[in-house]
Amino acid sequence: MAVLVRISSICNRGFSPLLFRSASLIRPLVAHKKDQDHSYLLAAKVYTTPAHYDGSVSKAASLHWTGERLVSVILLSMGPIAYFYPGGVMDYSLAAALTLHGHWGLGQVVTDYVHGDTKVKLAKAGLFILSTVTFAGLCYFNYHDVGICKAVAVLWSK
């Protein structure tokens, strides 16, 4: 059984590496496999990179990821709460959470599938406009009509 020690785990304990601060490290991984009567040596290369290049960038990405998960969990809990306690506060909270969740989700689609500086800037501007119009539309619907909670209840009752 092969044991692999990550350099980043050592770095986090107060030791700072002298070499390979920004370069990827290639470490061999060898494992034994027994097939009936024969024993094999399987070899593979494992690419490890330092866990962090710049503390502020990785911290911001980590906080963004945590925020996305938090909004997802909040949306899951808002469903039953909206069913049992419909009202203006819940309608506007749903409008904000749904818009933010959709904005972050479509932002990942833009990041994954849109390439080129100009296209990325146009796509992000379009996404910002779409999210703004979505939030404004949901707020308009909440203010001038029955609201999100009662609209879903009416749809389910028919």
Side-chain angles (χ1 to χ4, degrees):
M1 179 176 199
V3 177
L4 195 65
V5 177
R6 290 182 34 196
I7 289 182
S8 63
S9 65
I10 295 171
C11 295
N12 290 336
R13 292 192 179 106
F15 299 102
S16 90
L18 298 175
L19 301 172
F20 308 117
R21 287 181 187 229
S22 63
S24 297
L25 301 176
I26 302 172
R27 306 184 79 195
L29 173 67
V30 179
H32 293 282
K33 180 180 179 185
K34 293 182 181 179
D35 183 19
Q36 294 178 356
D37 297 329
H38 303 291
S39 179
Y40 295 79
L41 276 179
L42 299 174
K45 290 183 181 178
V46 177
Y47 296 89
T48 59
T49 57
H52 52 279
Y53 292 107
D54 183 16
S56 63
V57 173
S58 65
K59 178 92 171 163
S62 176
L63 288 175
H64 181 74
W65 184 86
T66 304
E68 287 177 341
R69 299 305 163 264
L70 185 66
V71 168
S72 297
V73 170
I74 288 171
L75 273 173
L76 283 173
S77 65
M78 282 179 137
I81 294 171
Y83 179 75
F84 290 112
Y85 304 106
V89 173
M90 186 53 62
D91 286 336
Y92 287 104
S93 299
L94 276 170
L98 287 171
T99 304
L100 185 61
H101 184 71
H103 179 78
W104 282 341
L106 289 174
Q108 290 302 314
V109 172
V110 167
T111 301
D112 290 343
Y113 294 108
V114 179
H115 304 290
D117 292 336
T118 307
K119 291 180 183 177
V120 169
K121 288 180 183 178
L122 286 173
K124 287 187 177 184
L127 177 60
F128 182 74
I129 291 169
L130 176 67
S131 297
T132 304
V133 168
T134 300
F135 182 67
L138 288 172
C139 288
Y140 180 84
F141 181 73
N142 288 336
Y143 188 75
H144 292 288
D145 209 339
V146 294
I148 297 172
C149 296
K150 289 186 182 178
V152 171
V154 167
L155 286 174
W156 281 352
S157 67
K158 291 185 179 188

